DNA sequence: CATGCGTGGCA
DNA sequence: TTGCCAAGCAT
């Protein structure tokens, strides 16, 4: 089978794009700000997850200025539960930079976009083509899957040389003046038809020119790398009460896992260590306080991006030492009713929900 | 260039 | 239940 003709692909995609489409917020409004926020939320995240977050976000931060003027805590709170929290921190920083350097206007220049935190090649291409109508390609997971199949690319797409070739192919199917429709069609095709498993080739407008379809390689492409098994850790967390009936919340360091979120402090159990000893040690190391570990609150299983934990939470009584932020970014004594107003990770929300249900049962 | 970085849905 | 996967970016 000959190599598919990019122009023919473009024409097919444009025709296919003429069908009834779902109306997403970032399609109804071509506002660069909306596209920027939506595309950032959509990084590694599915549409149905993003939509409610996006709607809330746009009500709370309707433009660059509102976002720039918000506190990081407000921004993280709106992002709570969406994951990959560096995205929210980057949006916040970028908004301040856009306000300062570009008078609040999202730049329509590729180099300027790429220099902003959180904007890489995909998001820059998406903003330029979808919001500004420029003839720029996008290459995301959907487009990568479509192109590796249509062109029958058997090499690992994560290799830099293959990645460059895929960008060239993505650019080659852009018909001048039609980048927006082509890019959206490619991504729609990848999401709805050219799916990772069991692609619906009988409904695909490219099926008759697709190398993978012709050779029965649809399910094998794109080739996957070797998956490493994820480690599992046992972790403790303390709901530390003081004499006034307040609870100690700690803020995680601003970089790294769950950066900037608030949590019930604790940490990883070391080999041979009891849960209670772990908790006393961690609270001493991170906050320089002494506690008595009392009854358990909850046991929560949780999976992060690259490891899993079983989290044992205990009520604790603060018996000594004024907290100091040794291994945390900040700390605060708060009323139970105030905890919900802080951005927390999913695992800590599960703990909080158990506490709230106990409270409602009058325990 | 390889790795770190969340969460929820699905088979 | 477990593993796979999803509109990537930073370092």
């Amino acid at each position: 089978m000959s190599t598919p003709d990019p122009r023919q692909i473009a024409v097919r995609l444009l025709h296919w794009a003429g069908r009834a489409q779902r109306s997403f917020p970032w399609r109804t409004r071509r506002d660069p700000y909306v596209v920027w926020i939506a595309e950032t939320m959509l990084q590694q995240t599915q549409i149905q997850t993003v939509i409610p977050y996006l709607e809330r976000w746009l009500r709370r931060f309707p433009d660059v200025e509102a976002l720039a003027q918000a506190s990081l805590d407000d921004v993280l709170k709106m992002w709570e539960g969406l994951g990959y929290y560096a995205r929210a921190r980057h949006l916040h920083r970028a908004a301040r930079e856009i306000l300062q350097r570009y008078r609040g206007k999202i730049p329509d220049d590729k180099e300027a976009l790429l220099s902003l935190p959180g904007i890489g090649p995909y998001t820059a291409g998406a903003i330029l083509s979808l919001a500004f109508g420029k003839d720029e390609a996008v290459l995301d997971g959907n487009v990568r899957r479509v192109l590796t199949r249509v062109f029958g690319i058997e090499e690992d797409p994560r290799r830099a040389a293959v990645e460059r070739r895929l960008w060239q192919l993505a650019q080659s199917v852009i018909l001048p003046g039609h980048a927006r429709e082509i890019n959206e069609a490619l991504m729609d095709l990848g999401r709805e038809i050219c799916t990772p498993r069991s692609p619906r080739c009988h409904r695909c407008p490219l099926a008759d020119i697709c190398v993978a379809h012709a050779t029965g390689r649809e399910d094998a492409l794109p080739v996957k790398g070797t998956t490493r098994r994820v480690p599992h850790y046992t972790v403790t967390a303390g709901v530390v009460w003081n004499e006034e009936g307040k609870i100690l919340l700690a803020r995680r360091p601003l970089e790294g896992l769950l950066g900037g979120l608030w949590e019930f402090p604790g940490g990883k159990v070391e080999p041979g260590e009891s849960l209670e000893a772990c908790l006393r040690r961690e609270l001493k190391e991170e906050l320089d306080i002494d506690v008595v570990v009392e009854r358990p609150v909850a046991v929560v299983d949780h999976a992060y991006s690259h490891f899993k934990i079983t989290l044992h939470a205990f009520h604790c009584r603060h018996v000594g030492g004024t907290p100091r932020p040794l291994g945390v970014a900040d700390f605060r004594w708060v009323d139970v009713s105030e905890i919900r107003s802080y951005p927390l990770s999913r695992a800590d929300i599960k703990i909080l929900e158990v506490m709230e249900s106990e409270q409602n049962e009058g325990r």
Side-chain angles (χ1 to χ4, degrees):
Chain A
M1 178 178 216
S2 59
T3 302
D5 171 21
R7 188 185 167 81
Q8 188 178 20
I9 294 174
V11 172
R12 299 278 187 92
L13 288 172
L14 282 177
H15 185 256
W16 185 74
R19 82 211 181 287
Q21 297 184 32
R22 290 175 61 188
S23 65
F24 300 121
W26 53 93
R27 292 187 180 171
T28 326
R29 302 172 57 189
R30 300 297 183 176
D31 179 351
Y33 174 74
V34 175
V35 172
W36 172 42
I37 303 299
E39 294 300 337
T40 303
M41 287 186 171
L42 285 162
Q43 291 168 13
Q44 305 287 280
T45 311
Q46 303 192 38
I47 285 182
Q48 65 271 22
T49 305
V50 162
I51 286 180
Y53 277 91
L54 180 63
E55 289 174 345
R56 275 198 304 274
W57 180 285
L58 293 176
R59 283 198 297 274
R60 179 72 177 78
F61 311 122
D63 52 33
V64 171
E65 189 172 354
L67 178 56
Q69 287 169 351
S71 69
L72 179 58
D73 267 338
D74 285 345
V75 171
L76 287 172
K77 186 64 189 173
M78 296 304 293
W79 201 271
E80 182 187 79
L82 201 48
Y84 287 137
Y85 297 91
R87 295 182 293 173
R89 302 194 301 270
H90 290 148
L91 281 177
H92 191 223
R93 275 174 46 206
R96 296 187 167 187
E97 199 172 323
I98 292 167
L99 195 59
Q100 297 274 324
R101 291 174 56 173
Y102 307 108
R103 305 182 184 285
K105 295 287 184 189
I106 315 258
D108 64 354
D109 170 74
K110 192 195 281 191
E111 290 310 311
L113 286 172
L114 287 173
S115 77
L116 292 167
I119 296 185
Y122 166 75
T123 307
I127 293 172
L128 291 170
S129 63
L130 305 185
F132 291 113
K134 300 208 170 191
D135 286 330
E136 290 284 343
V138 295
L139 182 64
D140 67 348
N142 288 317
V143 179
R144 182 176 294 110
R145 193 167 54 252
V146 170
L147 294 177
T148 52
R149 284 174 176 168
V150 171
F151 288 91
I153 294 173
E154 296 281 348
E155 300 106 302
D156 186 340
R158 279 155 303 202
R159 287 178 46 207
V162 182
E163 174 92 354
R164 278 195 299 277
R165 167 128 186 267
L166 287 167
W167 272 104
Q168 287 168 3
L169 290 173
Q171 192 66 51
S172 76
V173 301
I174 301 289
L175 218 52
H178 296 281
R180 173 187 294 163
E181 298 109 290
I182 297 277
N183 287 341
E184 287 181 347
L186 276 171
M187 292 190 279
D188 286 352
L189 191 66
R191 187 183 69 253
E192 299 169 9
I193 309 288
C194 196
T195 49
R197 281 169 301 197
S198 310
R200 301 167 174 85
C201 300
H202 60 287
R203 288 173 47 196
C204 178
L206 306 179
D208 65 310
I209 54 175
C210 176
V211 172
H213 185 58
T215 56
R217 298 282 295 158
E218 303 96 305
D219 280 308
L221 298 182
V223 296
K224 314 172 208 12
T226 57
T227 57
R228 283 179 314 165
R229 42 178 306 182
V230 298
H232 182 280
Y233 304 114
T234 303
V235 180
T236 60
V239 179
V240 181
W241 299 79
N242 71 5
E243 302 77 359
E244 300 170 354
K246 302 254 187 179
I247 293 170
L248 186 59
L249 280 188
R251 183 174 214 178
R252 296 179 60 88
L254 292 181
E255 301 302 321
L257 184 75
L258 308 175
L261 296 191
W262 294 78
E263 66 177 6
F264 301 114
K268 219 180 286 182
V269 175
E270 294 179 349
E273 188 178 41
S274 73
L275 298 173
E276 290 81 357
C278 165
L279 199 42
R280 285 192 299 270
R281 174 181 56 74
E282 289 284 353
L283 293 173
K284 189 67 178 175
E285 286 175 2
E286 292 191 353
L287 289 146
D288 198 27
I289 58 169
D290 299 304
V291 302
V292 173
V293 179
E294 300 184 322
R295 70 183 175 87
V297 181
V299 181
V300 166
D301 281 305
H302 195 74
Y304 291 102
S305 48
H306 54 299
F307 64 94
K308 296 178 179 181
I309 64 167
T310 299
L311 174 59
H312 298 261
F314 292 88
H315 288 288
C316 299
R317 190 157 42 88
H318 179 228
V319 294
T322 302
R324 295 193 296 148
L326 301 181
V328 301
D330 198 2
F331 66 87
R332 211 164 289 174
W333 291 105
V334 304
D335 193 83
V336 194
S337 62
E338 297 172 325
I339 298 178
R340 283 255 176 212
S341 68
Y342 289 82
L344 306 173
S345 79
R346 270 288 188 260
D348 279 40
I349 289 174
K350 291 180 195 170
I351 295 174
L352 183 60
E353 283 171 351
V354 171
M355 290 170 55
E356 287 172 344
S357 67
E358 286 186 349
Q359 202 169 39
N360 292 337
E361 291 160 18
R363 295 168 64 178

